[in-house]
Amino acid sequence: MSILPLSSSGRDASTQHSQGAPYFPAQGGPTIGLPNQHDDGFGRRKSDSTSIFGFSSNSSSRIHSGGVHGRQHGLGFVPLFLRRLFRFPHMDFQFALWQMVYLCISPRIVYRNIHYHKQTKNQWARDDPAFMVILSGLLGCSAIAWGLVYGHGMMGILRMVLYMVFIDFVVTGVVVATLCWTIANRFLARASVYSTDQTVEWQYAFDIHCNAFMPVIMLLYIVQMVFMKILVKDFWICSLLGNTLYMVATVYYCYITFLGYNALPFVRHPEMFLYPITIFVIIYVVALILGINISSKVLALYFG
């Protein structure tokens, strides 16, 4: 801090101030004196504390220190996640493939490191879109294979790719994730006076959908295609196999959804997400009694 030399005469000092003499030192820094029209009151020029976009450096530092993290806990995080979709060199595809394998054989292992991720990334959701990119690629390849099996042309295959990726995966995922996110935050989140971060992130809810959708892809989009000729036959044993395939996929989806919310320490009674299994078990039993082949009906509705 530099101090301006004071005049020995009070009259000279007042005269100098009345002529609008600047109160800024030659080398910069705050000064002692009254601010003029170019001073912000703290010894700095307004042009120095304000950027060309009109945001002060203090506001910018607050945005980087707290604002970004604050927006990551809701729908405001989605644009940042979408921007990272185009940064392929920065994606960890190896870790995403590891997660996909264990989601099919031992999904509990995937959620063991979630607390470490929260401590290091300050969020429950993934910040790497590699998992969703690979999942979309699997759906696209599956759509191409289904189109070739049913003899669709180029435009038919393209429509099928768009439908499977954007309708089956993205739109359905947004609806299911929003519904589970609303239920978890409104009815299941445990309030605490020691922490204000006791809400489920929407992006984390969509991550749970992505995790739960992986076994669904393996069972209904790949295994069903391989054994399609057997599953669609008009025999009771074929109906048993086809209905069981859909039942296992549905149970797996609900179970992984339960594991996702059970991993959050502030969510109470996450077993609520297992309740839909009861409805699907009833549908499964009734369909077998009536001889309804769910696999055949779905394929006819989807590709017919």
Side-chain angles (χ1 to χ4, degrees), residues 17 19-25 29-31 33-50:
H17 173 61
Q19 293 176 355
Y23 284 87
F24 300 98
T31 62
L34 297 175
N36 60 12
Q37 66 271 21
H38 302 291
D39 193 5
D40 62 355
F42 296 96
R44 298 172 300 182
R45 284 187 177 273
K46 294 180 181 179
S47 58
D48 295 335
S49 61
T50 306

Side-chain angles (χ1 to χ4, degrees), residues 233-243 284 287-293:
K233 290 185 177 180
D234 193 14
F235 296 104
W236 187 86
I237 187 65
C238 297
S239 299
L240 174 64
L241 294 176
N243 296 357
Y284 172 76
L288 288 179
I289 294 175
L290 299 179
I292 300 175
N293 190 331

Side-chain angles (χ1 to χ4, degrees), residues 157-207:
I157 293 177
L158 180 60
R159 285 194 299 267
M160 196 171 299
V161 170
L162 295 177
Y163 190 89
M164 286 187 177
V165 173
F166 291 101
I167 302 299
D168 289 358
F169 176 48
V170 177
V171 175
T172 303
V174 168
V175 174
V176 174
T178 303
L179 178 62
C180 295
W181 172 70
T182 303
I183 294 175
N185 284 328
R186 180 166 297 183
F187 303 106
L188 306 181
R190 183 184 296 109
S192 175
V193 296
Y194 301 102
S195 177
T196 58
D197 187 16
Q198 299 291 334
T199 58
V200 179
E201 306 163 4
W202 186 92
Q203 178 63 29
Y204 180 77
F206 189 80
D207 279 348

Side-chain angles (χ1 to χ4, degrees), residues 127-143:
D127 59 345
D128 186 359
F131 190 95
M132 194 173 73
V133 170
I134 297 178
L135 213 61
S136 301
L138 287 176
L139 284 173
C141 295
S142 174

